[in-house]
């Protein structure tokens, strides 16, 4: 009988270690319970969504933890590309949902995010900032893709909404011989400024208001603060680069959906709210 249990513990040692490590996250649910109680007391009707969100995050993070553990143990760099493309696909879908009134929005968002993050990652590898290994590239790609997703979604939505609000100005410019780019130059600038401002503000205040995730993780993992800030500087730089390329690319890809080949507005794109 003892041998049976011994074999069981050996086979499922990874599961036992995982369950032991979940004690602290489980204890942190007390804060969620407080939020649920407050939501109920204030009649916000968010209790169900809070519980669902926390449960979903637990499942997603647990699954991705095992997946990353598997990938990190592999020597094939193809896993990096596969994981990266999966993240870009999900990010493109999510950003496209935000800009749901933009035709082919998911495609536009996906290609834009792919362009911005792949160029940034390629430069980091060429400059030997990070080694091309799963342990480095997948977390780095995740941070860039997540940030580019938010910026791209906001850019696309803002551009479409601004053009809709100023249809008469755009149509007048087109009637006077302007190209779609010339006619919507101010709207494009406004959309890019609005979407990129939070990223730039984050750069200006990093370390003063809060310690970013990458830096905090390294410090809690035992690294020196000096090593942590070096990594964080790289992270902030690559996020600015990826977000800028992705957002600008999305504006170029949106134009064919907003205008006909005869340089006329696609009115049906701007008719819905």
């Amino acid at each position: 009988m003892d041998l049976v249990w011994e074999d069981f513990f050996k086979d499922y040692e990874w599961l036992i270690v995982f369950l032991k490590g979940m004690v602290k996250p489980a204890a942190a649910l007390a804060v969620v319970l407080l939020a649920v109680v407050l939501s109920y007391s204030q009649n916000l009707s968010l209790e169900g969504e809070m519980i669902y969100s926390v449960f979903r995050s637990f499942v997603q993070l647990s699954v991705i933890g095992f997946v990353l553990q598997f990938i990190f143990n592999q020597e094939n760099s193809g896993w990096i590309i596969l994981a990266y493309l999966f993240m870009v696909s999900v990010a493109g879908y999510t950003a496209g949902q935000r800009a749901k009134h933009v035709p082919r929005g998911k495609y536009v968002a996906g290609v834009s995010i792919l362009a911005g993050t792949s160029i940034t990652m390629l430069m980091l590898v060429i400059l030997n900032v990070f080694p091309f290994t799963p342990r480095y590239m997948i977390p780095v790609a995740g941070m860039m893709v997540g940030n580019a997703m938010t910026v791209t979604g906001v850019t696309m939505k803002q551009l479409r909404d601004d053009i809709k609000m100023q249809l008469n100005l755009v149509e007048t410019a087109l009637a006077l011989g302007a190209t779609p780019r010339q006619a919507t130059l101010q709207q494009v600038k406004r959309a890019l400024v609005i979407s990129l401002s939070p990223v730039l503000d984050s750069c200006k205040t990093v370390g003063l208001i809060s310690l970013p995730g990458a830096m905090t993780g390294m410090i809690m993992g035992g690294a020196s603060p000096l090593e942590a800030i070096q990594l964080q500087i790289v992270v902030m730089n690559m996020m600015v680069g990826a977000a800028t390329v992705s957002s600008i690319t999305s504006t170029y890809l949106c134009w064919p959906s907003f205008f006909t080949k005869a340089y006329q507005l696609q009115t049906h794109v701007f008719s819905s709210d």
Side-chain angles (χ1 to χ4, degrees):
M1 187 70 176
D2 291 339
L3 288 174
V4 173
W5 281 107
E6 212 173 293
D7 292 338
F8 174 83
F9 286 125
K10 283 183 180 179
D11 292 339
Y12 293 95
E13 184 179 0
W14 58 272
L15 180 59
I16 296 170
V17 172
F18 173 74
L19 292 175
K20 286 182 178 179
M22 291 305 296
V23 173
K24 290 181 180 179
L29 287 174
V31 183
V32 179
L33 180 61
L34 173 63
V36 170
V37 172
L38 289 174
S39 174
Y40 179 78
S41 65
Q42 297 296 317
N43 295 319
L44 301 180
S45 300
L46 293 175
E47 303 86 0
E49 188 172 352
M50 286 180 179
I51 295 172
Y52 169 74
S53 299
V54 171
F55 175 75
R56 177 171 170 174
S57 66
F58 166 78
V59 173
Q60 288 177 180
L61 289 173
S62 298
V63 171
I64 199 63
F66 288 117
V67 172
L68 289 177
Q69 183 69 35
F70 169 78
I71 293 176
F72 287 173
N73 292 330
Q74 308 303 309
E75 297 181 357
N76 190 346
S77 59
W79 287 104
I80 301 176
I81 299 174
L82 185 63
Y84 167 65
L85 291 177
F86 174 77
M87 289 187 285
V88 169
S89 300
V90 175
Y93 177 85
T94 305
Q97 285 287 94
R98 177 185 288 273
K100 59 185 178 181
H101 294 302
V102 177
R104 303 182 304 149
K106 297 179 181 65
Y107 164 78
V108 171
V111 173
S112 301
I113 295 169
L114 179 65
T117 55
S118 61
I119 291 173
T120 307
M121 287 177 63
L122 181 62
M123 291 181 65
L124 291 176
V125 173
I126 292 175
L127 296 173
N128 201 28
V129 177
F130 291 117
F132 193 71
T133 61
R135 187 169 295 276
Y136 284 93
M137 296 310 300
I138 292 178
V140 166
M143 287 185 282
M144 282 195 295
V145 170
N147 190 63
M149 173 190 71
T150 303
V151 172
T152 301
V154 172
T155 300
M156 294 167 59
K157 183 179 186 302
Q158 189 66 46
L159 179 58
R160 183 259 180 191
D161 291 348
D162 281 357
I163 293 176
K164 180 182 178 181
M165 290 176 60
Q166 299 176 328
L167 276 178
N168 292 334
L169 290 176
V170 175
E171 287 179 330
T172 300
L174 291 172
L176 293 174
T179 64
R181 176 173 173 77
Q182 293 169 334
T184 58
L185 188 59
Q186 295 305 315
Q187 290 80 8
V188 169
K189 286 183 177 179
R190 174 179 162 81
L192 290 173
V193 168
I194 289 175
S195 62
L196 289 172
S197 290
V199 180
L200 300 178
D201 289 343
S202 178
C203 282
K204 294 174 187 176
T205 59
V206 63
L208 299 177
I209 297 176
S210 62
L211 296 180
M215 184 176 175
T216 303
M218 285 193 67
I219 292 175
M220 294 179 68
S224 73
L226 295 179
E227 291 177 331
I229 63 169
Q230 291 170 0
L231 175 66
Q232 190 58 53
I233 290 171
V234 173
V235 169
M236 295 306 299
N237 290 343
M238 68 188 189
M239 288 174 66
V240 171
T244 303
V245 175
S246 295
S247 57
I248 293 176
T249 302
S250 69
T251 62
Y252 279 94
L253 294 178
C254 280
W255 276 320
S257 301
F258 293 160
F259 299 92
T260 66
K261 292 182 179 179
Y263 289 178
Q264 295 176 325
L265 279 168
Q266 301 269 23
T267 54
H268 68 278
V269 175
F270 306 99
S271 59
S272 56
D273 294 326

